[in-house]
Amino acid sequence: MDPAGYAAVFNVLTGTAAYLFWRLTVRLWKDRCSARYLHRGLQAVILCFCAPVAYTLVYLHFRDLDGSWNGDFMNGTGFLMRAAFGTAAVWLLGVLISAIRCGRELYRERPVKSVVVPEEQSEVRVLRQLGRTMGIRRRIPVCRGERLTPAIGGFFRTRLYLGTEPLEEEELWMICRHELYHYRHGDIWMRRLLLLLRIFCWFCPWFVCGKISEEYRSLSEDYVDEEVCREEDMGRYIRILLKTALQGAERMHLTQATAAENRCDVLRRIENMKSLHNKKNMTRTMAAVWTTVCLLMGSTTVYAAGAGVIEGYEALYKATVVEVEEQAIEEQYIEYREEPDDGWVAEEGEVMDDGRSSTVPFEWTVGANASKKTPSFEMSSGGYITVSVSVEPTDLKINVGIVEPNEGRRYVTGSDTIHYKFSLDQSGSYMVFVENPNNVKINVTGYYKK
């Protein structure tokens, strides 16, 4: 099966574990922790939904200590493949519906009419001067349009939007500083990423209910307010926020960061700013220690979840792999016997034998006019070895059989899907082999059951 599907599952596992530990941090340290640390922590949580390490650990689980590959990444039976196909179809349908909804919201929040402000205008001069002071090299265009609240952002291109109402110079400086801090903190890119996660992770409850988006929106505003209040007069800044809030609409934007998106939220931010000087901030050392503890706890949780997924998948695989045997069309094969031949050579192929199951899957590529065999295993007289193999290309005939303890060979010939049960009349070491008498290489997938 395609590892991308499992990577998506581990994405959600990793992000969910990181988010829960971040919530624990907020509950315990919110009154003593600066919005800066909480904001950076939530950014890391969002990235965990995109670039996890859990599925990398699972990938390494399928490698031997010497680095050699010991099997396909989570092989699938017919039942699991059909289940994966159905799940993928449902996921794609959800992605389509979620993309349409987000597209409609983006269309509604676009500026109805916007005009790019020339470089010589005061708005652009203030923005450029502040950008140089804050170390921002990008020349962000300034647009005036029918928007009720100043905002910075955009899905494809970052722009600073200003409303049609005239702004005093003091207001312009503070609004531009506010929006540029959003840009410097990476809020524009994170909002774009949150929008994509909302589309592709529509099944995750944290994105369905908008919990992470709302928390990130609030924290980004709190962080910017802290930065602005260190450089500007808090009283004047609060008055500007109240003015923009009264002019603004009671709705949030998907990809823009605005000075005052919601009136209730502005009141909350004002209370936070008033208590800013009285807050006993956590020291950097304490913040680093707590972050390390959360990271270790989150990594342990994610690795445990990944190991649990592996064990659960292996159990499901073993429970459903026999369906090939049960559903196979019983054909009348002719069993051939050959005496030991010293000239017969077969390369040993890799199998996925964990030593705990009687069913051992394998997946091989057999070269033209070549053979592959499994490692030897012990069997008793009177038992059976059931071999089931699917061949690609399906029209080529191959030989599938066993090597007996005396080096003699027993096999049947067939194409497409071969299923046969060999009865054993002696005890000792046996091997299963696949022989390709064709002039082209073949791919075989199957299992043998002891």
Side-chain angles (χ1 to χ4, degrees):
M1 294 181 70
D2 188 359
Y6 300 102
V9 175
F10 287 116
N11 279 6
V12 177
L13 285 175
T14 308
T16 300
Y19 176 68
L20 292 177
F21 281 107
W22 179 85
R23 289 290 303 166
L24 178 62
T25 303
V26 173
R27 182 176 292 272
L28 294 178
W29 299 97
K30 185 175 182 180
D31 294 334
R32 297 189 59 192
C33 190
S34 171
R36 174 184 180 181
Y37 298 124
L38 297 179
H39 177 267
R40 296 302 186 191
L42 189 54
Q43 283 185 332
V45 168
I46 295 172
L47 292 177
C48 284
F49 281 96
C50 308
V53 297
Y55 73 92
T56 305
L57 299 177
V58 175
Y59 176 85
L60 295 176
H61 175 82
F62 285 86
R63 284 190 173 273
D64 292 327
L65 294 178
D66 60 357
S68 60
W69 184 249
N70 66 10
D72 192 15
F73 186 91
M74 290 188 176
N75 278 340
T77 62
F79 170 80
L80 293 177
M81 294 298 290
R82 290 191 297 273
F85 179 81
T87 304
V90 173
W91 174 74
L92 288 174
L93 179 61
V95 169
L96 179 61
I97 295 174
S98 182
I100 293 175
R101 290 178 176 175
C102 292
R104 292 175 61 186
E105 293 184 37
L106 283 173
Y107 181 79
R108 285 198 299 266
E109 75 171 30
R110 80 194 192 287
V112 179
K113 293 180 181 179
S114 62
V115 179
V116 178
V117 179
E119 290 288 328
E120 63 272 9
Q121 295 296 322
S122 60
E123 298 92 331
V124 182
R125 291 201 306 269
V126 169
L127 185 67
R128 298 289 179 263
Q129 185 174 347
L130 275 174
R132 288 191 296 269
T133 305
M134 299 171 64
I136 299 175
R137 297 181 179 180
R138 181 171 181 176
R139 300 177 67 85
I140 302 173
V142 180
C143 298
R144 277 196 176 274
E146 297 181 8
R147 307 188 67 85
L148 297 177
T149 335
I152 188 172
F155 187 76
F156 295 106
R157 186 178 181 184
T158 302
R159 297 189 178 193
L160 176 65
Y161 294 97
L162 297 175
T164 55
E165 297 80 6
L167 296 173
E168 298 179 2
E169 185 175 354
E170 181 186 37
E171 296 174 338
L172 186 60
W173 275 87
M174 288 197 180
I175 287 174
C176 289
R177 186 183 297 277
H178 178 102
E179 303 303 343
L180 285 178
Y181 268 122
H182 276 300
Y183 181 82
R184 197 168 77 169
H185 295 167
D187 293 335
I188 311 304
W189 287 104
M190 294 306 295
R191 293 200 182 195
R192 293 167 179 166
L193 182 58
L194 282 169
L195 178 62
L196 293 177
L197 286 173
R198 177 179 167 185
I199 293 175
F200 290 99
C201 297
W202 57 267
F203 55 89
C204 181
W206 314 121
F207 297 108
V208 172
C209 64
K211 184 68 174 176
I212 292 182
S213 299
E214 181 60 31
E215 288 179 332
Y216 185 81
R217 192 187 310 274
S218 299
L219 275 178
S220 63
E221 297 297 339
D222 292 342
Y223 185 17
V224 168
D225 290 341
E226 286 187 6
E227 298 279 71
V228 174
C229 287
R230 291 192 183 99
E231 301 178 7
E232 301 286 352
D233 180 75
M234 183 185 298
R236 289 183 294 177
Y237 179 62
I238 289 176
R239 286 195 297 272
I240 293 175
L241 285 182
L242 289 173
K243 179 180 177 180
T244 53
L246 292 174
Q247 296 173 349
E250 290 290 335
R251 66 184 180 93
M252 301 298 184
H253 298 279
L254 291 179
T255 57
Q256 285 86 31
T258 68
E261 292 179 323
N262 182 281
R263 298 169 192 174
C264 294
D265 188 61
V266 169
L267 296 177
R268 178 193 63 81
R269 289 162 55 190
I270 291 174
E271 292 299 322
N272 287 343
M273 283 185 281
K274 289 180 178 179
S275 61
L276 184 62
H277 296 291
N278 298 326
K279 183 183 294 187
K280 297 180 180 179
N281 289 332
M282 181 192 298
T283 63
R284 290 189 177 183
T285 303
M286 192 63 187
V289 170
W290 182 250
T291 302
T292 304
V293 171
C294 288
L295 179 62
L296 292 175
M297 295 175 67
S299 301
T300 304
T301 302
V302 173
Y303 183 77
V309 170
I310 295 174
E311 294 181 0
Y313 188 92
E314 289 178 347
L316 188 59
Y317 180 88
K318 293 170 185 176
T320 57
V321 73
V322 295
E323 70 174 358
V324 178
E325 177 182 347
E326 296 172 352
Q327 297 175 1
I329 300 176
E330 293 294 337
E331 300 182 12
Q332 296 298 322
Y333 293 102
I334 299 177
E335 183 178 321
Y336 299 92
R337 288 178 177 264
E338 291 186 359
E339 297 300 321
D341 183 4
D342 295 336
W344 183 75
V345 179
E347 177 187 356
E348 185 171 298
E350 297 175 344
V351 298
M352 289 173 280
D353 186 6
D354 57 8
R356 297 173 294 178
S357 174
S358 61
T359 302
V360 181
F362 57 86
E363 184 173 357
W364 297 335
T365 297
V366 185
N369 300 305
S371 303
K372 273 195 176 183
K373 62 183 180 180
T374 67
S376 61
F377 53 91
E378 297 296 321
M379 294 294 294
S380 300
S381 176
Y384 297 92
I385 298 177
T386 301
V387 184
S388 183
V389 173
S390 297
V391 188
E392 182 66 34
T394 58
D395 58 337
L396 297 181
K397 288 191 174 184
I398 63 171
N399 302 327
V400 178
I402 60 174
V403 180
E404 295 183 310
N406 62 358
E407 301 297 329
R409 293 190 298 152
R410 296 164 54 190
Y411 62 89
V412 295
T413 301
S415 59
D416 196 2
T417 300
I418 304 170
H419 184 81
Y420 192 77
K421 181 185 290 187
F422 294 91
S423 59
L424 310 181
D425 53 12
Q426 52 184 308
S427 301
S429 297
Y430 285 84
M431 291 179 286
V432 174
F433 74 90
V434 173
E435 187 175 41
N436 177 21
N438 305 285
N439 294 325
V440 295
K441 68 179 181 180
I442 61 171
N443 296 314
V444 295
T445 304
Y447 69 92
Y448 66 89
K449 190 174 183 180
K450 309 175 192 178

